[in-house]
Amino acid sequence: MEVGQVYYDANSQWLLNLVLASMILGVALDIKWHDFRAVAKMPKAIIAGLTAQFLFLPALTTALTLILDLPAGIELGMILVSACPGGAISNFVTHLSGGNTALSISMTAASSALAVVFLPINFIFWSQLNPNTALMLQTINVDSTALFINLLFVLALPLAIGLLISSKWPNIAKKIHRVFNVTSLLALIAFISIAITRNQEAFLSHFYLIFTIVLLHNALAYVLGFLSGKFAGLQQRDIKATTIEVGMQNSSLAIAIVFTQFNGEAGMALISAFWGTWHIVSGLLIALTFRRYFSATSAIPTQPNAK
């Protein structure tokens, strides 16, 4: 069973890249250099979260695709999402849960910066370990160098510009960030709408399959984030942050990559789009659960003791 392939208008690729770059810029405007310096103060928490995000999640995702034997496009979409950094909305959800928001912001900053290198490496490496996805990559003829260069322009450059503005002109950064808060959400909705509309027939035909896979995959990500914090001996506020950060991937980045690098391949687009919708719902549910059953942990000091 194959989901199929939908070709996206190549003339619109520059617009997608521009929108995505503006979303990354919006994230960067809310990141300060001291967020990166904070990494040195809580290395155990940062390492635990990033290891789960960049190593264990792609590895277990690949294992899951081998076990389930899904259509190649869906499997490739799952691996792509797992290789993406955390999304900016994870910071808000962590705050809502009573978790360590400073840790969440630091992890988002670190993962966004590291994704420039690790996303293409992770994606290509793990995709090659699955015969179905490896064959599909050869069929599509993915250029890893082009993918890396594309990420430099839509991820690294806006991240650097945002950090510069935030450092030099903090008041301007705050004003621009308020605008990007709205436009980023609208852009995510637009990406999801495009993916589903362009693949409407495939979406309706494979709705229950995609729904089940995304629920299972997303649950796996949350469990990994939780266990990474638990095994690292972190405080509960920090465990909340690692759980949510690993469980909420930057799926809008995945969708943009699907349309700009994979001609809007249906299986990849639908998995990425459904992730973008579902992880917001699941993140809020996780946050409310944490807040209800672990509310006492909100009294723990902001600075973790992890060394």
Side-chain angles (χ1 to χ4, degrees), residues 58-132:
L60 289 183
T61 297
T62 304
L64 188 63
T65 64
L66 291 169
I67 293 170
L68 297 178
D69 191 24
L70 300 163
I74 290 180
E75 292 181 339
L76 204 56
M78 291 170 64
I79 295 173
L80 176 60
V81 169
S82 72
C84 285
I89 195 173
S90 63
N91 306 151
F92 166 75
V93 175
T94 298
H95 176 73
L96 184 65
S97 75
N100 190 338
T101 308
L103 174 58
S104 177
I105 293 173
S106 296
M107 283 185 62
T108 299
S111 66
S112 296
L114 290 172
V116 178
V117 175
F118 280 102
L119 194 161
I121 291 176
N122 259 341
F123 177 66
I124 298 296
F125 175 78
W126 294 108
S127 297
Q128 293 292 344
L129 297 184
N130 182 320
N132 291 336

Side-chain angles (χ1 to χ4, degrees), residues 45-56 106-108 110-111 114 246:
I46 295 291
I47 292 172
L50 294 182
T51 300
Q53 189 163 54
F54 283 116
L55 178 60
F56 293 131
S106 296
M107 283 185 62
T108 299
S111 66
L114 290 172
V246 178

Side-chain angles (χ1 to χ4, degrees), residues 33-251:
W33 283 111
H34 66 71
D35 293 328
F36 290 100
R37 291 197 295 270
V39 172
K41 298 179 181 179
M42 39 185 163
K44 184 191 289 188
I46 295 291
I47 292 172
L50 294 182
T51 300
Q53 189 163 54
F54 283 116
L55 178 60
F56 293 131
L57 182 57
L60 289 183
T61 297
T62 304
L64 188 63
T65 64
L66 291 169
I67 293 170
L68 297 178
D69 191 24
L70 300 163
I74 290 180
E75 292 181 339
L76 204 56
M78 291 170 64
I79 295 173
L80 176 60
V81 169
S82 72
C84 285
I89 195 173
S90 63
N91 306 151
F92 166 75
V93 175
T94 298
H95 176 73
L96 184 65
S97 75
N100 190 338
T101 308
L103 174 58
S104 177
I105 293 173
S106 296
M107 283 185 62
T108 299
S111 66
S112 296
L114 290 172
V116 178
V117 175
F118 280 102
L119 194 161
I121 291 176
N122 259 341
F123 177 66
I124 298 296
F125 175 78
W126 294 108
S127 297
Q128 293 292 344
L129 297 184
N130 182 320
N132 291 336
T133 54
L135 180 61
M136 188 171 184
L137 282 180
Q138 293 176 4
T139 303
I140 299 176
N141 192 25
V142 176
D143 187 344
S144 56
T145 303
L147 179 59
F148 177 75
I149 293 173
N150 186 63
L151 285 175
L152 281 178
F153 280 103
V154 302
L155 194 59
L157 186 60
L159 186 65
I161 293 173
L163 284 169
L164 178 63
I165 296 174
S166 178
S167 175
K168 298 292 185 181
W169 306 283
N171 291 331
I172 295 177
K174 287 180 182 179
K175 294 178 181 179
I176 301 176
H177 179 68
R178 292 193 193 102
V179 176
F180 277 115
N181 270 341
V182 177
T183 57
S184 294
L185 179 59
L186 293 176
L188 176 59
I189 294 172
F191 282 159
I192 293 171
S193 300
I194 290 171
I196 294 177
T197 301
R198 296 275 177 173
N199 301 278
Q200 186 174 4
E201 184 178 347
F203 178 74
L204 294 175
S205 300
H206 304 286
F207 174 81
Y208 291 108
L209 172 64
I210 293 168
F211 182 76
T212 303
I213 292 303
V214 169
L215 259 64
L216 177 62
H217 193 203
N218 187 226
L220 173 66
Y222 283 120
V223 170
L224 275 175
F226 180 83
L227 292 178
S228 67
K230 199 74 173 175
F231 287 139
L234 303 182
Q235 297 179 3
Q236 286 189 358
R237 291 179 70 248
D238 301 337
I239 293 174
K240 291 179 181 182
T242 60
T243 301
I244 293 169
E245 192 70 23
V246 178
M248 302 191 73
Q249 301 295 88
N250 192 340
S251 52

